[in-house]
């Protein structure tokens, strides 16, 4: 007979504030704020702030009226998710299956593992004690199902449900214990259903017709009639190779030879896994105990050792080897899928060559400094494109054709002398005198009414394409509202 499943759900109600207070030694009420529905609101509060009457969801202005000494910090969802993932890995000390439960909790499947810690109660006490020493406020529930354990942690303020006692433990709890949304809870309360046992006694067919399968699914999961497995996220593969040297090295040629051997081995691993590296890190261990880290980024997933090696040349040339380097480690912390492809004579090689050029330039100049233009959906000339980092974007396959054509060079409008709707025949621009030989137009462009652009608050513009006596073809526009002329572009 398989062992009865036993699940622990840990709720960290003050995870965000606890993370901040672990670094800040504060003796004052504290809250994490986030902008919601156009206002700053409290999303997580410390225990001291809770005792002063503050609560989640309260507006920041109201909170400051109650507590003028309140200290706040903006929410950081990325850092919170990283911390929760670290806690998930830490929880593997108790069982082989652990997963994140929402954004502020953990779920552990301790089936067959509790006896290793002296029983379920001893395991739960040890877990909560360790979390408390780390500075986290936690409540935990233990039951046969994940839904029942969640209910004990969030609604019943913690506790252990004995094996086979799920229905008896959930019956007197409010319907919020079933992890239902607020809209469904309100509708059920209007029907006079306030406890889990009240809902369990109702006919299932009318409930399914009115509330859908989600309501009954949540109840079946909590009662154990519908399985709810704990699925931890897949562990990403670790792609790293190392080399220990019998004698210290320090010459550039020796470093390049060692790197070539590491790259060859790493690319073999990547090829078998059908992965490509987007970032490579080379760690050099010196004899004196110091280490040197070199890092390159790639504009496309790569696993070609001969193409990657030259990208390290500039970094290796400036390495301070000290008294010598006796260890090398090459890792690929960022990976992308790179499945095997059929070799063709199409444009794939051309695109790869462009990506390699972007990689070389970006590692020298910075990945934010090598940019490309992408089309944008706007009829405003300066908004018809966006600027993006070339390494983190793909080129547009087809640029939309504009009629009439736009100038190759656009710049902010530069005023020139002129008035009236007629194109000025002579004007001074950039310190030089210009004479118009021919002009075509106008093309009227009005500002986008749904956007407030300060540069277009003067209203619509009438654009003209003019040919000058100096050979340059300029793009001029006239603003009827202010009766002025400007130059904004130059055609090729």
């Amino acid at each position: 007979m398989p062992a009865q499943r036993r699940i622990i759900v840990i709720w960290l109600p003050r995870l965000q504030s606890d993370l901040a207070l672990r670094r800040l030694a504060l003796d004052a009420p504290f809250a994490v704020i986030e902008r919601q529905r156009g206002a700053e609101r409290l999303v997580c509060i410390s225990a001291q702030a809770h005792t002063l009457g503050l609560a989640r969801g309260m507006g920041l202005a109201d909170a400051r009226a109650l507590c003028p000494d309140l200290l706040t910090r903006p929410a950081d969802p990325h850092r919170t998710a990283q911390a929760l993932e670290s806690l998930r890995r830490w929880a593997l000390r108790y069982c082989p299956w652990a997963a994140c439960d929402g954004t502020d909790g953990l779920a552990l499947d301790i089936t067959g593992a509790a006896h290793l810690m002296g029983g379920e109660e001893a395991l739960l006490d040890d877990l909560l004690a360790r979390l408390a020493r780390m500075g986290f406020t936690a409540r935990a529930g233990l039951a046969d199902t994940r839904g029942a354990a969640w209910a004990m942690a969030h609604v019943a303020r913690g506790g252990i449900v004995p094996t086979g006692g799920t229905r008896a433990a959930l019956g007197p709890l409010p319907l919020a214990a079933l992890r239902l949304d607020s809209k469904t809870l309100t509708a059920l309360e209007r029907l006079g259903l306030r406890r889990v046992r009240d809902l369990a006694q109702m006919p299932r067919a009318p409930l399914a017709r009115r509330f859908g399968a989600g309501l009954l699914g949540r109840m079946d999961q909590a009662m154990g009639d519908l399985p709810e497995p704990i699925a931890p996220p897949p562990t990403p593969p670790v792609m790293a190779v190392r080399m220990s040297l019998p004698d210290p090295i320090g010459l550039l040629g020796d470093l390049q030879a060692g790197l070539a051997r590491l790259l060859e081995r790493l690319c073999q691993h990547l090829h078998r896994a059908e992965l490509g590296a987007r970032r490579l890190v080379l760690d050099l261990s010196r004899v004196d105990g110091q280490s040197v880290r070199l890092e390159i980024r790639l504009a496309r997933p790569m696993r070609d050792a001969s193409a990657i090696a030259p990208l390290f040349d500039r970094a290796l040339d400036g390495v301070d080897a000290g008294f010598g380097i006796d260890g090398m480690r090459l890792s690929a912390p960022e990976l992308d899928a790179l499945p095997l492809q059929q070799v063709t004579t199409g444009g794939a090689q051309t695109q790869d060559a462009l990506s390699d050029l972007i990689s070389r330039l970006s590692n020298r100049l910075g990945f934010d400094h090598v940019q490309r233009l992408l089309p944008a959906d706007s009829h405003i000339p300066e908004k018809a494109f966006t600027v993006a980092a070339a390494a983190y974007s793909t080129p547009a396959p087809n640029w939309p054709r504009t009629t009439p054509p736009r100038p190759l060079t656009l710049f902010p409008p530069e005023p020139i002398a002129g008035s009236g709707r007629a194109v000025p025949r002579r004007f001074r621009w950039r310190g030089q005198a210009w004479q118009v030989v021919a002009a075509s137009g106008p093309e009227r462009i009005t500002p986008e009414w749904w956007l407030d652009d300060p540069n277009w608050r003067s209203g619509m513009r009438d654009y003209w394409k003019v040919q000058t006596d100096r050979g340059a073809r300029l793009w001029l526009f006239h603003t009827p509202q202010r009766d002025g002329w400007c130059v904004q572009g130059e055609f090729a």
Side-chain angles (χ1 to χ4, degrees):
M1 288 290 293
Q4 175 66 39
R5 288 189 68 204
R6 299 294 282 172
I7 307 296
I8 292 179
V9 170
I10 306 166
W11 182 34
L12 305 167
R14 299 191 175 97
L15 176 60
Q16 298 187 61
S17 61
D18 288 342
L19 286 173
L21 294 176
R22 277 161 57 91
R23 297 185 176 183
L24 304 174
L26 298 177
D27 187 17
F30 177 81
V32 178
I33 61 174
E34 188 177 39
R35 191 166 188 83
Q36 299 176 351
R37 300 188 298 274
E40 299 286 352
R41 298 187 179 275
L42 310 186
V43 294
C44 189
I45 60 174
S46 65
Q48 187 175 356
H50 179 72
T51 58
L52 296 176
L54 305 186
R56 283 188 178 186
M58 180 182 292
L60 180 59
D62 298 334
R64 293 219 183 265
L66 289 175
C67 182
D69 298 332
L70 178 66
L71 300 178
T72 62
R73 171 171 288 187
D76 189 351
H78 179 68
R79 179 171 173 265
T80 304
Q82 286 183 327
L84 189 62
E85 174 61 20
S86 299
L87 288 174
R88 184 197 70 81
R89 294 195 300 268
W90 167 82
L92 294 175
R93 64 182 287 124
Y94 296 102
C95 62
W97 299 99
C100 296
D101 187 70
T103 59
D104 57 359
L106 299 172
L108 285 65
D109 189 341
I110 63 167
T111 304
H115 69 281
L116 300 175
M117 300 292 296
E120 295 178 349
E121 187 174 352
L123 186 151
L124 202 59
D125 291 342
D126 181 77
L127 189 152
L128 293 176
R130 290 179 182 271
L131 287 174
R133 287 196 295 269
M134 286 189 286
F136 294 105
T137 302
R139 293 210 308 243
L142 197 159
D144 294 342
T145 67
R146 183 172 180 174
W150 187 94
M152 297 303 296
H154 287 74
V155 180
R157 297 186 174 273
I160 299 177
V161 177
T163 302
T166 300
R167 295 182 182 274
L170 290 180
L173 296 181
L175 291 177
L178 296 180
R179 298 174 289 175
L180 303 176
D181 58 88
S182 58
K183 184 179 179 180
T184 302
L185 288 174
T186 302
L188 290 172
E189 289 181 359
R190 290 175 179 173
L191 295 176
L193 304 175
R194 292 178 173 81
R195 303 289 175 181
V196 175
R197 59 169 172 255
D198 299 335
L199 184 65
Q201 296 172 359
M202 294 292 294
R204 296 175 62 90
L207 291 175
R209 284 196 300 269
R210 181 161 183 173
F211 297 99
L215 171 62
L216 297 179
R218 281 302 192 188
M219 185 170 64
D220 291 341
Q221 286 176 342
M223 297 298 181
D225 298 328
L226 189 65
E228 188 178 7
I230 293 178
T235 303
V238 178
M239 292 293 175
V241 292
R242 65 172 63 247
M243 176 190 301
S244 297
L245 303 172
D247 296 316
I249 62 174
L251 298 178
L252 177 61
D254 295 337
L255 293 176
Q256 291 175 336
L259 174 63
R261 293 180 60 182
L262 292 177
L263 274 174
E264 190 66 31
R265 291 164 52 194
L266 180 63
C267 290
Q268 290 177 1
H269 296 323
L270 294 174
H271 187 273
R272 285 194 292 267
E274 295 191 9
L275 296 172
R278 291 299 299 266
R279 182 163 67 95
L280 291 169
V281 177
L282 177 63
D283 292 307
L284 305 176
S285 301
R286 300 195 323 190
V287 177
D288 57 2
Q290 302 294 322
S291 62
V292 180
R293 169 163 291 193
L294 308 178
E295 180 178 328
I296 65 168
R297 294 179 178 270
L298 305 173
R300 65 180 177 94
M302 294 179 63
R303 55 170 179 253
D304 186 356
S306 60
I308 297 174
L311 300 177
F312 277 100
D313 289 346
R314 183 181 177 89
L316 288 174
D317 192 23
V319 167
D320 180 11
F323 295 103
I325 293 173
D326 60 359
M328 304 176 68
R329 182 179 186 271
L330 182 65
S331 60
E334 292 185 15
L335 303 169
D336 278 351
L338 186 60
L340 300 177
Q341 297 179 351
Q342 180 70 33
V343 178
T344 64
T345 59
Q349 294 182 351
T350 303
Q351 182 61 37
D352 291 346
L354 176 60
S355 298
D356 294 344
L357 175 62
I358 293 174
S359 297
R360 291 196 296 272
L361 294 176
S362 298
N363 281 288
R364 287 174 175 263
L365 306 176
F367 275 73
D368 293 333
H369 296 157
V370 181
Q371 302 171 335
R372 64 159 51 99
L373 301 181
L374 300 175
D377 187 13
S378 177
H379 61 272
I380 302 298
E382 56 267 34
K383 293 183 179 180
F385 64 91
T386 58
V387 180
Y392 307 126
S393 60
T394 56
N398 296 307
W399 275 77
R401 294 185 177 182
T402 57
T403 305
R406 296 287 182 256
L408 182 62
T409 304
L410 278 175
F411 41 80
E414 301 178 6
I416 60 174
S419 61
R421 294 180 177 274
V423 178
R425 294 302 175 183
R426 293 180 177 84
F427 60 90
R428 291 191 63 82
W429 177 56
R430 294 184 176 177
Q432 297 180 352
W434 300 77
Q435 182 174 350
V436 177
V437 177
S440 61
E443 176 194 359
R444 174 161 291 183
I445 298 179
T446 58
E448 297 168 337
W449 59 266
W450 56 92
L451 296 177
D452 183 18
D453 189 346
N455 298 323
W456 281 76
R457 288 177 182 172
S458 57
M460 61 184 178
R461 300 175 181 176
D462 291 335
Y463 281 87
W464 292 78
K465 181 180 178 181
V466 301
Q467 178 71 46
T468 64
D469 58 342
R470 297 175 178 270
R473 294 183 299 166
L474 304 178
W475 210 34
L476 278 63
F477 71 83
H478 172 251
T479 52
Q481 295 82 358
R482 297 187 179 180
D483 195 17
W485 282 86
C486 295
V487 182
Q488 193 181 358
E490 184 175 355
F491 291 89

